[in-house]
């Protein structure tokens, strides 16, 4: 028989435990769904999403990100909630989740609810609890704000389907980029059980879109699309593998987003890598930058990385890195280049490229116009011409451009890499440093 | 020829009335500037006051919508809410450019023209402030049960915030107060919202409301503070990044940054 101590705990304590347990989930966006209020309930959604606050780690707080329970029957090695860990356990009732969501929402603290859960008894039971909670929030509390829930791998497809009609976004965590990594660190999870609900949600979204096109008031299934997340740095995959997995997920599963989560070592386990420098945040940042290039800039994973060059250059953002390796394609003439070519210029984003295309219809643009439009000339100036002229005479040389493009605001690991692109200094000479240390040592003795 | 300065009220209606008068009085548009607020006297300029007339402003707004479309009207409306002296003149010159037919495509996208670029800059500034107020505005529950939010926006965005929040919270009584300009948007539950200019007494009353919140409010605020504290990952802490996304100027009115106790 099982005994539980402290089952009746105050709401604030439960919130603390279940927020703490949910904080490693990264997909906290509230975008992709537009729904206006109905005049009697509470809430609406905005297509672009709204972040309501930013926590001390600089990540946005958009949704009330909690677990329904941190009880779990699985024993994933990287997870703080694994069954072999001795941590405080708690569970919310559906009523408590609804009350918290509504009270936070009406004060404009949050944009909606992000509900995940540990595996409670079995996957179908857990998914059922999530469904009951969301159903209550939608039907009893008339909540029309954003809801994101996790689809639990292995749960009955019917429960997943019913939940899909109530929420804006669903996600199934891929957890680790390769099946080998998954079997090593999450022995209870299998690639197949993860991909099955993903495919089910994808098919549901497609058929729902067709129904909505035919019957305007047909209920829409997961209107904000599905997402997933991968842990970066827990297993030895290269960036190329990770990005290729992301690319195939976008293509084959029509995912809205793939999130990358720098591995934080919360458990002591010999299978987990030691990270003396902390979580690989810069690597995560580069992957996000590359992810944007895949989704909005028309790049493919093979263009950015290859088997010979499987990891990103940590010193440069992937677009600038690609540009300096393809100098034969530059400079680009701003007044004539196509939208696709403009998008490949470092410092020109989707909005800027659109603005250039629209405003050059009435007059020839110069650098002054570009600056006022919001183009980042600091980076773009090396790769563009306006009416055939560059801003300054520039040496189109890889090392020179790399030095100019390195962003000193990023926390760059200059010491970790032999390539620095910096001007050689006397102190870079290893022999000089050795001599100096010897000199200091001798002076002390 | 000397320049003419039209001095009008600092509101969309005031600016649009001045635009109407500039055409009605047949003033050469490239020698006219519209000022809202205090006018600096110039030696070679004549100054004329324009009294706000809603009917004339409506005529101008109807013309803008008819000739250039709703999107351009929206862009100009955002620009007119900016806290910037150039806005009146920029709107006038942009309309003039549009009527001249020199700009192809959508009027406000002809960023090669300086005045259109100014309208774009001002509009972007107001849109950004509007978006940030949507994010960082915090309601508190008064003892009487209604919700109130005290804000200090850089631009005059209360009129844009009201449709957003009244769609979101249709069954709530709430007030959004712009403490800097003395403007309040009031939304009675289930009814349309109104915009008010507050007198001194009302301003004082609204400022004092912050000290009279309900017990329920204190509990909700404590829960949210606990949530914000816990959701941050210690190994990733980065106050610089937090400040970049959430500048310090907003934190004075945000519940999660209230001093403890």
């Amino acid at each position: 028989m099982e005994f539980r101590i402290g089952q009746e705990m105050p709401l604030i304590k439960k919130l603390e435990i279940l927020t703490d347990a949910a904080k490693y989930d990264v997909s906290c966006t509230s975008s992709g769904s537009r729904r206006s209020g109905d005049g009697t309930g509470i809430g609406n959604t905005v297509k672009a999403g709204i972040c309501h606050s930013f926590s001390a780690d600089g990540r946005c707080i958009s949704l009330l990100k909690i677990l329904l329970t941190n009880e779990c029957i699985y024993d994933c090695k990287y997870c703080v909630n694994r069954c072999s860990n001795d941590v405080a356990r708690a569970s919310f009732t559906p009523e408590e989740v609804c009350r918290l969501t509504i009270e936070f929402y009406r004060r404009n603290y949050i944009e909606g609810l992000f509900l995940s859960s540990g595996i409670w008894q079995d996957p179908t039971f857990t998914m059922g609890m999530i469904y009951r909670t969301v159903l209550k929030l939608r039907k009893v509390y008339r909540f029309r704000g954003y809801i994101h829930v996790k689809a639990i791998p292995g749960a009955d497809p019917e429960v997943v389907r019913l939940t899909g009609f109530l929420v804006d976004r669903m996600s199934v965590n891929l957890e680790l980029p390769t099946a080998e990594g998954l079997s090593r660190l999450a022995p209870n999870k299998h690639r197949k059980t993860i991909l099955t609900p993903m495919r089910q949600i994808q098919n549901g979204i497609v058929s729902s879109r067709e129904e909505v096109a035919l019957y305007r008031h047909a209920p829409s299934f997961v209107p904000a699309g599905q997402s997933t997340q991968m842990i970066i740095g827990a297993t030895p995959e290269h960036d190329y593998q990770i990005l290729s997995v992301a690319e195939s997920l976008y293509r084959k599963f029509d995912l809205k987003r793939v999130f990358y989560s720098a591995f934080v070592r919360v458990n002591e386990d010999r299978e987990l890598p030691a990270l003396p420098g902390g979580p690989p945040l810069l690597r995560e940042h580069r992957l996000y930058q590359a992810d944007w290039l895949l989704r909005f800039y028309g790049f493919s994973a093979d263009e950015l990385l290859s088997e010979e060059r499987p990891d990103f250059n940590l010193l440069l953002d992937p677009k600038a890195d690609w540009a300096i390796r393809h100098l034969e394609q530059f400079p680009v003439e701003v007044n004539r280049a196509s939208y696709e070519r403009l998008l490949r210029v470092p410092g020109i984003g989707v909005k800027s490229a659109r603005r250039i295309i629209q405003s050059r219809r009435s007059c020839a643009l110069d650098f002054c116009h570009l600056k006022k439009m919001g183009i980042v000339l600091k980076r773009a100036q090396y790769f563009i011409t306006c009416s055939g002229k560059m801003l300054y005479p520039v040496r189109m040389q890889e090392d020179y451009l790399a030095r100019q493009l390195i962003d000193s605001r990023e926390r760059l690991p200059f010491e970790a890499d032999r390539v620095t692109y910096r001007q050689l200094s006397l102190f870079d000479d290893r022999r000089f440093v050795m001599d100096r240390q010897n000199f200091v040592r001798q002076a002390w003795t | 020829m000397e320049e003419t300065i039209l001095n009008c009220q600092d509101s969309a209606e005031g600016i649009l009335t001045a635009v109407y008068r500039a055409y009605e009085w047949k003033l050469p548009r490239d020698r006219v500037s519209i000022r809202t607020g205090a006018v600096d006297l110039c030696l070679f300029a004549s100054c004329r006051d324009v009294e706000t007339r809603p009917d004339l402003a409506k005529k101008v707004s109807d013309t803008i919508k008819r000739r250039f479309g709703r999107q351009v009207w929206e862009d100009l409306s955002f620009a007119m809410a900016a806290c910037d002296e150039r806005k009146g003149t920029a709107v006038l010159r942009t309309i003039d450019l549009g009527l001249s037919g020199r700009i192809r495509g959508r009027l406000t996208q002809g960023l090669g023209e300086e005045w259109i670029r100014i309208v774009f800059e001002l509009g972007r500034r107001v849109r950004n402030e509007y978006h940030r107020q949507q994010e960082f505005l915090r309601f508190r529950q008064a003892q009487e049960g209604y919700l109130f939010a005290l804000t200090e926006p850089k631009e005059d965005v209360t009129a844009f915030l009201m449709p957003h929040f009244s769609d979101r919270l249709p069954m709530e009584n709430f007030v959004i107060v712009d403490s800097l300009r003395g403007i309040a948007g009031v939304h009675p539950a289930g009814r349309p919202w109104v915009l008010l200019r507050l007198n001194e007494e009302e301003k004082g009353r609204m400022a004092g409301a912050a000290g009279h919140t309900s017990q329920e409010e204190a509990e909700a605020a404590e829960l949210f503070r606990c949530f914000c504290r816990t959701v941050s990952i210690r190994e990733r802490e980065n106050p610089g990044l937090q400040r970049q996304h959430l500048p310090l100027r907003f934190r004075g009115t945000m519940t999660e940054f209230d001093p403890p106790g």
Side-chain angles (χ1 to χ4, degrees):
Chain A
M1 191 176 165
E2 199 177 354
F3 290 98
R4 294 248 164 80
I5 300 168
Q7 194 75 312
E8 283 304 315
M9 59 173 76
L11 188 61
I12 193 161
K13 186 68 190 161
K14 277 191 190 181
L15 181 67
E16 191 178 356
I17 292 171
L18 294 168
T19 305
D20 195 44
K23 68 185 177 187
Y24 299 102
D25 254 312
V26 277
S27 46
C28 188
T29 54
S30 53
S31 56
S33 176
R34 179 166 38 207
R35 183 172 50 244
S36 55
D38 62 357
T40 51
I42 176 171
N44 61 15
T45 57
V46 178
K47 188 86 180 165
I50 298 177
C51 304
H52 283 277
S53 191
F54 289 86
S55 55
D57 53 14
R59 297 189 308 159
C60 83
I61 298 174
S62 179
L63 306 172
L64 172 63
K65 187 162 57 177
I66 46 174
L67 296 192
L68 194 57
T69 176
N70 64 343
E71 309 266 3
C72 193
I73 55 170
Y74 288 173
D75 196 24
C76 307
K77 294 196 166 61
Y78 52 81
C79 181
V80 71
N81 304 314
R82 62 181 185 178
C83 61
S84 56
N85 267 11
D86 183 19
V87 292
R89 306 273 172 181
S91 307
F92 277 129
T93 62
E95 176 66 26
E96 284 169 336
V97 175
C98 295
R99 261 180 46 217
L100 272 175
T101 309
I102 296 293
E103 288 304 319
F104 281 11
Y105 191 85
R106 63 192 282 266
R107 290 173 172 82
N108 206 35
Y109 295 164
I110 53 166
E111 197 58 13
L113 174 67
F114 175 107
L115 194 59
S116 182
S117 181
I119 310 298
W120 200 357
Q121 295 184 23
D122 68 76
T124 302
F125 177 78
T126 313
M127 198 68 226
M129 286 302 290
I130 291 176
Y131 170 70
R132 277 177 53 193
T133 309
V134 175
L135 185 71
K136 187 163 200 172
L137 193 55
R138 285 281 193 233
K139 301 292 177 200
V140 179
Y141 287 86
R142 310 279 312 277
F143 180 67
R144 288 176 61 82
Y146 196 91
I147 300 181
H148 176 167
V149 298
K150 289 277 168 206
I152 308 290
D156 184 350
E158 184 57 17
V159 192
V160 175
R161 192 183 74 84
L162 289 174
T163 313
F165 283 112
L166 296 172
V167 301
D168 292 279
R169 176 168 286 182
M170 276 183 120
S171 54
V172 190
N173 282 356
L174 199 63
E175 309 295 9
L176 293 157
T178 55
E180 300 82 63
L182 196 67
S183 62
R184 198 151 63 87
L185 296 187
N188 307 96
K189 294 183 179 173
H190 306 286
R191 181 50 72 91
K192 192 168 167 248
T193 49
I194 291 172
L195 294 182
T196 308
M198 228 182 234
R199 182 68 75 197
Q200 185 200 345
I201 295 167
Q202 182 198 11
N203 293 337
I205 292 171
V206 171
S207 58
S208 163
R209 274 195 203 131
E210 285 166 6
E211 273 179 36
V212 170
L214 268 179
Y215 310 103
R216 205 156 53 91
H217 297 294
S220 52
F221 183 86
V222 193
Q226 65 168 326
S227 63
T228 190
Q229 77 168 51
M230 285 188 270
I231 301 167
I232 306 304
T235 41
E237 289 91 4
H238 290 290
D239 292 345
Y240 181 50
Q241 281 167 291
I242 296 169
L243 206 64
S244 302
V245 170
E247 189 178 39
S248 66
L249 286 172
Y250 286 130
R251 285 195 185 149
K252 292 183 189 157
F253 288 86
D254 200 18
L255 252 65
K256 203 80 172 178
R257 287 287 302 270
V258 175
F259 291 93
Y260 308 93
S261 166
F263 171 64
V264 180
R265 193 183 161 103
V266 287
N267 297 329
E268 287 303 321
D269 197 298
R270 66 189 171 88
E271 294 282 354
L272 297 175
L275 297 168
L281 296 179
L282 189 57
R283 188 176 173 207
E284 179 196 281
H285 180 54
R286 293 284 178 249
L287 280 166
Y288 273 119
Q289 288 176 319
D291 189 82
W292 248 257
L293 296 182
L294 293 187
R295 290 187 296 137
F296 300 115
Y297 291 76
F299 280 87
S300 65
D302 290 331
E303 283 180 282
L304 298 170
L305 296 169
S306 60
E307 290 288 352
E308 297 77 44
R309 217 177 141 276
D311 288 311
F312 283 114
N313 183 350
L314 288 182
L315 301 178
L316 283 171
D317 77 76
K319 194 177 175 188
D321 193 37
W322 176 85
I324 61 167
R325 285 187 289 114
H326 293 85
L327 287 178
E328 72 284 355
Q329 301 198 19
F330 297 101
V332 165
E333 169 55 45
V334 166
N335 286 303
R336 274 201 303 274
S338 65
Y339 175 72
E340 290 73 23
R341 285 205 70 192
L342 284 174
L343 272 184
R344 299 212 159 203
V345 176
I348 297 184
V350 175
K351 272 191 181 175
S352 318
R354 260 190 231 140
R355 278 180 202 146
I356 289 173
I357 299 278
Q358 278 150 358
S359 42
R360 74 187 183 187
R361 294 166 74 187
S362 3
C363 68
L365 300 175
D366 59 28
F367 282 99
C368 188
H369 293 142
L370 297 183
K371 191 172 182 199
K372 296 211 163 145
M373 270 181 218
I375 281 100
V376 188
L377 281 183
K378 197 173 85 177
R379 287 198 291 280
Q381 58 174 322
Y382 307 107
F383 302 99
I384 54 172
T385 57
C386 288
S387 308
K389 289 180 190 157
M390 293 193 93
L391 186 57
Y392 305 110
V394 169
R395 263 185 291 159
M396 292 301 269
Q397 201 184 17
E398 191 175 331
D399 279 356
Y400 170 76
L401 290 179
R403 272 203 304 277
Q404 305 301 318
L405 290 169
I406 286 173
D407 190 349
S408 56
R409 287 172 308 164
E410 288 178 332
R411 297 172 178 177
L412 298 173
F414 277 112
E415 303 76 24
D417 203 328
R418 278 188 202 156
V419 187
T420 64
Y421 304 113
R422 286 186 305 180
Q423 193 166 3
L424 193 66
S425 137
L426 191 58
F427 298 97
D428 285 345
D429 190 340
R430 195 176 290 273
R431 284 167 306 173
F432 175 82
V433 178
M434 293 273 284
D435 286 351
R436 199 170 53 155
Q437 282 168 350
N438 288 338
F439 174 77
V440 172
R441 214 169 287 133
Q442 280 165 13
W444 275 100
T445 49
Chain B
M1 190 177 173
E2 73 170 10
E3 197 180 334
T4 310
I5 299 172
L6 299 180
N7 187 27
C8 66
Q9 191 193 24
D10 187 2
S11 66
E13 284 184 341
I15 293 170
L16 294 177
T17 311
V19 170
Y20 187 91
R21 294 296 188 204
Y23 280 90
E24 190 190 29
W25 294 336
K26 295 193 168 55
L27 302 171
R29 258 76 66 192
D30 56 334
R31 307 289 301 157
V32 177
S33 54
I34 297 175
R35 298 278 171 84
T36 54
V39 179
D40 292 334
L41 292 176
C42 301
L43 191 57
F44 298 107
S46 60
C47 188
R48 295 175 77 166
D49 286 333
V50 175
E51 193 189 332
T52 304
R53 288 266 305 273
D55 54 329
L56 301 184
K58 186 165 184 320
K59 278 186 180 179
V60 178
S61 72
D62 287 347
T63 307
I64 295 171
K65 285 177 208 163
R66 199 177 57 247
R67 294 289 298 268
F68 312 126
R70 293 200 80 83
Q71 189 61 49
V72 171
W73 165 243
E74 195 179 287
D75 293 339
L76 291 173
S77 309
F78 274 110
M80 285 189 284
C83 204
D84 193 293
E85 272 203 353
R86 299 169 298 169
K87 63 182 177 185
T89 314
V91 168
L92 173 68
R93 304 275 168 98
T94 303
I95 292 172
D96 197 42
L97 274 167
L99 293 176
S100 74
R102 273 169 45 203
I103 307 299
R104 294 167 63 193
R106 197 207 291 174
L107 175 59
T108 42
Q109 286 175 342
L111 298 180
E113 297 289 341
E114 193 188 347
W115 287 107
I116 297 180
R117 211 161 51 231
I118 292 172
V119 164
F120 162 74
E121 272 174 37
L122 299 180
R124 181 171 56 183
R125 216 198 285 167
V126 176
R127 278 196 171 95
N128 287 347
E129 186 65 18
Y130 164 54
H131 187 71
R132 289 188 144 175
Q133 289 298 331
Q134 280 184 329
E135 296 179 321
F136 304 140
L137 177 145
R138 293 286 178 266
F139 284 111
R140 292 167 200 258
Q141 189 169 323
Q143 277 171 344
E144 293 83 359
Y146 67 89
L147 297 172
F148 67 93
L150 302 178
T151 63
E152 294 171 347
K154 269 189 183 169
E155 322 291 344
D156 188 5
V157 292
T158 313
F160 298 107
L161 289 171
M162 289 308 291
H164 170 74
F165 283 107
S166 51
D167 182 56
R168 179 163 280 210
L169 308 169
M171 301 314 284
E172 295 279 359
N173 294 306
F174 68 83
V175 190
I176 297 174
V177 183
D178 178 346
S179 317
L180 297 179
R181 293 169 191 80
I183 295 174
V186 180
H187 177 266
R191 283 189 286 154
W193 57 273
V194 286
L195 210 59
L196 303 173
R197 277 189 195 281
L198 302 178
N199 58 33
E200 286 306 316
E201 188 204 333
E202 285 165 334
K203 275 187 206 171
R205 194 141 40 104
M206 285 318 303
H212 298 93
T213 50
S214 61
Q215 176 59 30
E216 221 179 290
E217 173 60 32
E219 285 167 16
E222 187 50 43
L223 283 168
F224 188 55
R225 274 194 290 272
C226 167
F227 174 72
C228 289
R229 213 171 34 239
T230 319
V231 86
S232 167
I233 297 176
R234 192 166 44 82
E235 290 86 346
R236 298 180 64 120
E237 273 184 14
N238 189 347
L241 186 60
Q242 186 191 26
R243 230 173 10 248
Q244 184 185 325
H245 292 306
L246 173 46
L248 297 175
R249 72 180 169 97
F250 294 102
R251 298 190 189 179
T253 53
M254 293 175 71
T255 316
E256 59 270 40
F257 295 103
D258 280 351

